[in-house]
Amino acid sequence: MDSAHDPVREQLAQARRDQILDAATAVFAEKGFHRATTREIAQAAGVAEGTIYNYFAGKDDLLIALMARLIEMERVEEELTRALESDSSRSVVSMFSDRIARIVADHAVFQAVLPAVLTDPRLRQRLNDEFLAPATAFLEQYIRARIQRGEMRPVAVPVAARLVSCLAVGVLVLRMLGDETLVSAWDSLPEVLATIVVDGLAASGCLGLEPLPG
Amino acid sequence: MDSAHDPVREQLAQARRDQILDAATAVFAEKGFHRATTREIAQAAGVAEGTIYNYFAGKDDLLIALMARLIEMERVEEELTRALESDSSRSVVSMFSDRIARIVADHAVFQAVLPAVLTDPRLRQRLNDEFLAPATAFLEQYIRARIQRGEMRPVAVPVAARLVSCLAVGVLVLRMLGDETLVSAWDSLPEVLATIVVDGLAASGCLGLEPLPG
Amino acid sequence: MDSAHDPVREQLAQARRDQILDAATAVFAEKGFHRATTREIAQAAGVAEGTIYNYFAGKDDLLIALMARLIEMERVEEELTRALESDSSRSVVSMFSDRIARIVADHAVFQAVLPAVLTDPRLRQRLNDEFLAPATAFLEQYIRARIQRGEMRPVAVPVAARLVSCLAVGVLVLRMLGDETLVSAWDSLPEVLATIVVDGLAASGCLGLEPLPG
Amino acid sequence: MDSAHDPVREQLAQARRDQILDAATAVFAEKGFHRATTREIAQAAGVAEGTIYNYFAGKDDLLIALMARLIEMERVEEELTRALESDSSRSVVSMFSDRIARIVADHAVFQAVLPAVLTDPRLRQRLNDEFLAPATAFLEQYIRARIQRGEMRPVAVPVAARLVSCLAVGVLVLRMLGDETLVSAWDSLPEVLATIVVDGLAASGCLGLEPLPG
DNA sequence: AATGAATGAGTCTTCATTCAT
DNA sequence: CATGAATGAAGACTCATTCAT
């Protein structure tokens, strides 16, 4: 009756949720969302099949909750804020370092979530709204600031920001696709990525391209 | 009895295969591999469900054939050869132009294939062996040549090649994820991509990084 | 330990039982026995799900207890005794009045119990033994008495008694089926029913039928 | 392709539907709708479980189709028209004879359908609209005609018609409830029912009731 | 070669019941 | 006694695949 806001109960419930989500992450990552069965997930979580439904509305909800937790965990905004508030070019390296570290740490989650997101329009929309759009907005701000300081060519800001995202996403996906060289050179990635971006967008371009509008 | 190598029959069969694969592409792209049913594919192809099994071993085989046809169609090697045989920096723009054009043309196929490939290890392996690995090899050759000519810093060749791939893959995926800005600035992409890569890897780096070994 | 026969405790327990049975009546009536869940019943009763099992052996027992309470409440014997001990034809009207009033008062209970009873042979048996059979026996006695007094044709007593029951049951069921006219003319029903029965079985039949044996 | 309206195929499909509905009738009648499993129905029909879903949208649809077929089979309108077009009182006997015969013939169907109908409001509505309402309308017409001819008291027509229905429904339900006397006296029922109705509503009432308005 | 009805293994989901607190 | 989280058996339904026509 009075258990509605019992903090202990609340915490136990949260722990159960996490326990199930962890199991779901592992199973989805290994088999993919559709080939994963609720029975497997339950076994992996060490609970009965029915218990899942005491915490989630259904298998779909499991995926959505997974994505929500991923977005929560990633905290791109903080990451970018921290990395970009320093003026130095080093900060770009630092940013990529954080991202690369995250790609490793959350590998299973990405493996579990990305294929499903690429498939379902509603999940795509949500990932965009709650994850990609804010991250891109931060990047745009940063690029705009460097252009004002004359450290960067007046390149089309939105496009440039997206290309930085492309690099991050590309690294994630290429790694998921199993590129072994990428894995073996993993530690050197942040610097190379930074090199490309910083020099590629530096004030004095070597390629005789027109400055892009925007 | 002797119809085994009748060339007309052969051609009709090939047409049927393509007809079915086209339908599968459309349905897989819309619903994803697992939510797509053989019934839907048959309807979209205008044949009976059983007919599919006269041309393909099963639903899985449909996906594999789709991927094979994608690899066949893409012809990255030719594309890269053509684009990169010219010395000029323009060739990089041209390469990205080709790639970007392909991303648009084969959008449905990518949408159909990529999520499934990201899910299934065997498909991943195959995509790597028959598509990514050759493409990367070409890129490595090209980069190595430019380094020798002193147009590019002695950067770690394998890593650099992969980062170029990352850009291409990243653009593909970010577009699939529904980034609208990327779509609206679509035509300017090749040049910006080329700028980043060419300047980013140019002989005189702006970022004070050590030349990478390799 | 010695709480077994504590009268206060006993009464509390009985109150709990009734509280749960009332809730079960409402939920069964609305959703039907099988679509009703123990969770809903618990919520409607304002107790926890497990509490139900402290008072009833299971969901089935809930239905049986409901039927038992219905039989208890109905007390057809008293009703019939009171109505039929007067000689006048008015008593028939009175009997139907009681019955009709009961149909309204216990509507939810009938709605809850009848479909289940019609489905389950054991429940049917029980309803017969404890409710219908005694009621019919009373009716038969009454009819037999009137025949002896010459007020009624020597009709087959068992059949006649059952047809009176049929009328009562038919009214109940037709009402459950949602007949609106029956509802709107509800108050005039007892008299019309009595008319039919009294005149229909009166000493001088208008229909040229042979007196029925029995 | 061209099989859309193949009459042979059509007929085979109809036979399959009936085969499955017959099985569903038997199983629903024995176990009730909810306790019946699709597996049992499939076994009883001699088909695979999945085959059911090639002909019906789901288990619910099975019940609806059953009710539709019952309504179709019953053809109360024809039955009443035939029975009531003769003026003689015999026609009433004939009407009840038909009805009683039907109750026996379609016993399993009623057993299968009625409990479910009593439970589900939508089914109730449908039974009312397509079965009870038309039947009652016919009865009202008939009663009105007899009143005009002076053979019947000016009783409230809608109520009288419903009471006749009540008798029919009551017989059906009391039989379903397992009343054995009703079964053993089954052949004499039509005449007794007719007696009650005809004499009960005859021109000269014995019960000193006011003529009812209507 | 084409068809599409039949198949039945496999899954998600529900919910009555138990039991540790 | 009360609670409600955990349980897992059971069942409706889907859909890739087969095969007789």
Side-chain angles (χ1 to χ4, degrees):
Chain A
M1 296 284 189
D2 57 336
S3 68
H5 290 290
D6 184 336
V8 175
R9 208 173 275 273
E10 197 92 351
Q11 218 163 8
L12 283 176
Q14 189 54 46
R16 241 331 120 73
R17 277 184 65 92
D18 283 336
Q19 172 189 9
I20 292 170
L21 283 183
D22 290 342
T25 302
V27 180
F28 287 165
E30 189 196 335
K31 308 231 179 177
F33 178 73
H34 284 285
R35 292 205 197 280
T37 67
T38 50
R39 173 173 305 190
E40 282 172 310
I41 296 169
Q43 279 177 345
V47 300
E49 225 175 326
T51 303
I52 295 175
Y53 292 84
N54 288 334
Y55 295 90
F56 300 93
K59 203 186 167 193
D60 286 352
D61 190 42
L62 225 40
L63 189 68
I64 290 172
L66 216 55
M67 202 177 82
R69 205 175 61 158
L70 174 66
I71 291 172
E72 186 70 15
M73 283 170 7
E74 288 289 322
R75 293 242 150 265
V76 215
E77 306 189 3
E78 288 182 9
E79 186 181 298
L80 289 175
T81 310
R82 183 158 28 81
L84 301 182
E85 61 194 3
S86 149
D87 289 349
S88 128
S89 293
R90 271 280 135 206
S91 69
V92 181
V93 179
S94 158
M95 176 192 79
F96 277 115
S97 282
D98 281 1
R99 200 88 299 271
I100 292 288
R102 237 49 218 263
I103 286 176
V104 173
D106 298 340
H107 184 259
V109 193
F110 283 121
Q111 184 74 260
V113 167
L114 190 60
V117 170
L118 287 176
T119 301
D120 187 329
R122 288 169 310 176
L123 295 179
R124 282 206 296 260
Q125 189 62 45
R126 186 154 176 195
L127 190 73
N128 248 320
D129 294 350
E130 301 187 23
F131 188 79
L132 294 174
T136 308
F138 263 78
L139 278 175
E140 290 185 354
Q141 260 189 297
Y142 176 71
I143 292 172
R144 211 168 268 123
R146 289 191 73 133
I147 290 176
Q148 281 185 336
R149 271 183 268 134
E151 297 166 12
M152 208 176 258
R153 263 171 296 157
V155 80
V157 174
V159 178
R162 265 140 198 98
L163 291 186
V164 175
S165 296
C166 280
L167 272 174
V169 168
V171 168
L172 170 63
V173 172
L174 219 60
R175 192 187 146 97
M176 279 179 62
L177 284 171
D179 188 296
E180 295 175 5
T181 306
L182 207 60
V183 174
S184 67
W186 200 247
D187 294 334
S188 63
L189 271 187
E191 298 210 344
V192 186
L193 284 167
T195 306
I196 286 185
V197 169
V198 173
D199 285 348
L201 297 176
S204 60
C206 305
L207 192 63
L209 293 172
E210 297 294 315
L212 294 156
Chain B
M1 293 297 181
D2 56 338
S3 68
H5 291 293
D6 181 338
V8 175
R9 208 172 276 274
E10 196 91 353
Q11 220 164 6
L12 282 176
Q14 189 53 44
R16 250 315 132 76
R17 279 183 64 92
D18 282 336
Q19 172 189 10
I20 293 171
L21 283 182
D22 289 342
T25 302
V27 180
F28 287 166
E30 190 196 334
K31 310 231 176 177
F33 178 74
H34 279 97
R35 293 204 196 279
T37 66
T38 51
R39 175 174 302 191
E40 283 172 309
I41 296 168
Q43 279 178 344
V47 300
E49 235 175 316
T51 304
I52 294 175
Y53 291 83
N54 288 330
Y55 294 90
F56 300 94
K59 202 187 169 191
D60 286 348
D61 189 42
L62 225 41
L63 190 68
I64 290 173
L66 215 56
M67 204 177 80
R69 207 174 60 159
L70 174 67
I71 291 172
E72 186 71 15
M73 281 169 10
E74 289 288 322
R75 295 237 149 268
V76 215
E77 307 189 2
E78 287 182 11
E79 189 181 294
L80 288 176
T81 309
R82 184 158 27 80
L84 301 182
E85 61 194 2
S86 147
D87 288 352
S88 127
S89 291
R90 272 281 134 205
S91 69
V92 180
V93 179
S94 158
M95 176 193 78
F96 276 116
S97 282
D98 282 1
R99 198 90 297 276
I100 291 288
R102 237 49 220 259
I103 287 177
V104 173
D106 299 339
H107 185 258
V109 192
F110 283 122
Q111 185 73 260
V113 167
L114 189 60
V117 169
L118 287 176
T119 302
D120 187 329
R122 287 169 311 175
L123 294 178
R124 282 205 297 261
Q125 191 60 47
R126 185 152 177 197
L127 191 73
N128 248 320
D129 295 350
E130 302 186 22
F131 188 79
L132 294 174
T136 310
F138 263 78
L139 278 175
E140 290 185 353
Q141 261 189 298
Y142 177 72
I143 292 173
R144 209 167 272 120
R146 287 191 75 132
I147 291 176
Q148 281 184 337
R149 271 183 269 135
E151 296 165 13
M152 210 176 256
R153 261 172 297 158
V155 79
V157 175
V159 179
R162 265 138 199 98
L163 292 187
V164 175
S165 296
C166 281
L167 272 174
V169 168
V171 168
L172 170 64
V173 172
L174 218 60
R175 191 186 147 96
M176 279 179 63
L177 284 171
D179 188 296
E180 294 175 5
T181 306
L182 207 60
V183 173
S184 67
W186 200 246
D187 293 335
S188 64
L189 272 187
E191 297 209 345
V192 187
L193 284 166
T195 306
I196 287 186
V197 169
V198 172
D199 285 347
L201 297 176
S204 59
C206 305
L207 191 63
L209 294 172
E210 298 294 315
L212 294 156
Chain C
M1 294 295 181
D2 57 339
S3 69
H5 292 292
D6 182 338
V8 174
R9 206 173 278 274
E10 196 91 353
Q11 219 164 5
L12 281 176
Q14 189 53 45
R16 250 317 132 76
R17 279 182 63 93
D18 282 336
Q19 171 189 10
I20 292 170
L21 283 182
D22 289 342
T25 303
V27 180
F28 287 165
E30 190 196 334
K31 309 231 178 179
F33 177 72
H34 280 98
R35 294 204 196 280
T37 67
T38 51
R39 173 174 302 189
E40 283 172 308
I41 296 168
Q43 279 178 344
V47 300
E49 234 176 317
T51 304
I52 295 175
Y53 291 83
N54 288 330
Y55 295 90
F56 299 93
K59 202 188 169 192
D60 286 349
D61 189 42
L62 224 41
L63 189 68
I64 291 173
L66 214 57
M67 204 178 79
R69 205 174 61 158
L70 173 67
I71 292 172
E72 186 71 16
M73 281 169 10
E74 289 288 321
R75 292 241 149 267
V76 214
E77 307 190 2
E78 288 182 9
E79 187 182 296
L80 288 176
T81 309
R82 181 160 27 80
L84 302 182
E85 61 194 3
S86 149
D87 290 349
S88 128
S89 293
R90 270 282 134 205
S91 68
V92 181
V93 179
S94 159
M95 176 193 78
F96 278 115
S97 283
D98 282 1
R99 199 87 299 273
I100 292 288
R102 238 50 219 261
I103 286 176
V104 173
D106 299 340
H107 184 259
V109 193
F110 283 121
Q111 185 73 261
V113 167
L114 189 60
V117 170
L118 286 177
T119 302
D120 187 328
R122 287 168 311 175
L123 295 178
R124 282 205 296 260
Q125 190 61 45
R126 186 152 177 196
L127 190 73
N128 247 320
D129 293 350
E130 301 187 22
F131 188 78
L132 294 174
T136 310
F138 263 78
L139 276 174
E140 289 185 354
Q141 261 189 297
Y142 177 71
I143 293 172
R144 210 167 269 122
R146 289 190 73 132
I147 290 176
Q148 281 185 338
R149 272 183 268 132
E151 297 165 14
M152 209 176 257
R153 263 172 296 157
V155 80
V157 174
V159 178
R162 264 138 200 98
L163 292 187
V164 175
S165 296
C166 281
L167 271 175
V169 168
V171 168
L172 169 63
V173 172
L174 219 59
R175 192 187 146 96
M176 279 180 61
L177 284 171
D179 189 297
E180 294 177 5
T181 306
L182 208 61
V183 174
S184 67
W186 200 246
D187 292 335
S188 65
L189 272 187
E191 298 211 344
V192 186
L193 284 167
T195 306
I196 286 184
V197 168
V198 172
D199 286 348
L201 297 176
S204 60
C206 304
L207 191 63
L209 293 171
E210 298 294 314
L212 293 156
Chain D
M1 297 285 186
D2 55 337
S3 68
H5 289 291
D6 184 337
V8 175
R9 210 173 273 274
E10 197 91 352
Q11 218 163 7
L12 283 177
Q14 188 53 46
R16 241 332 119 73
R17 277 183 66 91
D18 283 335
Q19 172 189 10
I20 292 170
L21 283 182
D22 289 342
T25 302
V27 180
F28 287 166
E30 189 195 336
K31 309 233 178 176
F33 178 73
H34 285 284
R35 292 205 198 280
T37 68
T38 51
R39 175 172 304 191
E40 281 172 311
I41 296 169
Q43 279 177 346
V47 299
E49 223 175 327
T51 303
I52 294 175
Y53 293 85
N54 288 334
Y55 294 90
F56 300 94
K59 204 185 166 193
D60 286 352
D61 190 42
L62 225 40
L63 189 68
I64 290 173
L66 215 56
M67 203 178 80
R69 206 174 60 159
L70 174 67
I71 291 172
E72 185 71 16
M73 282 170 8
E74 289 289 321
R75 294 238 149 270
V76 214
E77 307 190 2
E78 287 181 10
E79 187 182 296
L80 289 176
T81 309
R82 185 158 28 80
L84 302 182
E85 63 194 1
S86 148
D87 289 352
S88 125
S89 293
R90 270 281 135 204
S91 69
V92 181
V93 179
S94 157
M95 177 192 79
F96 277 115
S97 282
D98 282 1
R99 198 89 298 273
I100 291 289
R102 235 56 218 259
I103 287 176
V104 173
D106 298 340
H107 184 258
V109 192
F110 283 121
Q111 185 73 260
V113 167
L114 189 60
V117 169
L118 287 176
T119 302
D120 186 329
R122 288 169 309 176
L123 294 180
R124 282 204 297 261
Q125 190 62 46
R126 186 153 177 196
L127 190 73
N128 248 319
D129 294 350
E130 301 188 22
F131 188 80
L132 294 175
T136 310
F138 263 79
L139 279 174
E140 291 186 352
Q141 259 189 299
Y142 176 72
I143 293 172
R144 209 167 271 122
R146 289 191 72 133
I147 290 176
Q148 281 185 336
R149 270 183 270 134
E151 298 166 13
M152 208 175 257
R153 262 172 297 160
V155 80
V157 174
V159 178
R162 265 140 198 97
L163 291 186
V164 175
S165 296
C166 281
L167 271 174
V169 168
V171 168
L172 169 64
V173 172
L174 218 60
R175 191 188 147 96
M176 278 179 63
L177 284 171
D179 187 296
E180 293 175 6
T181 307
L182 206 60
V183 173
S184 67
W186 199 246
D187 293 333
S188 64
L189 271 187
E191 298 210 345
V192 186
L193 284 166
T195 306
I196 287 187
V197 169
V198 173
D199 286 347
L201 297 176
S204 60
C206 304
L207 191 64
L209 294 172
E210 298 294 315
L212 294 156

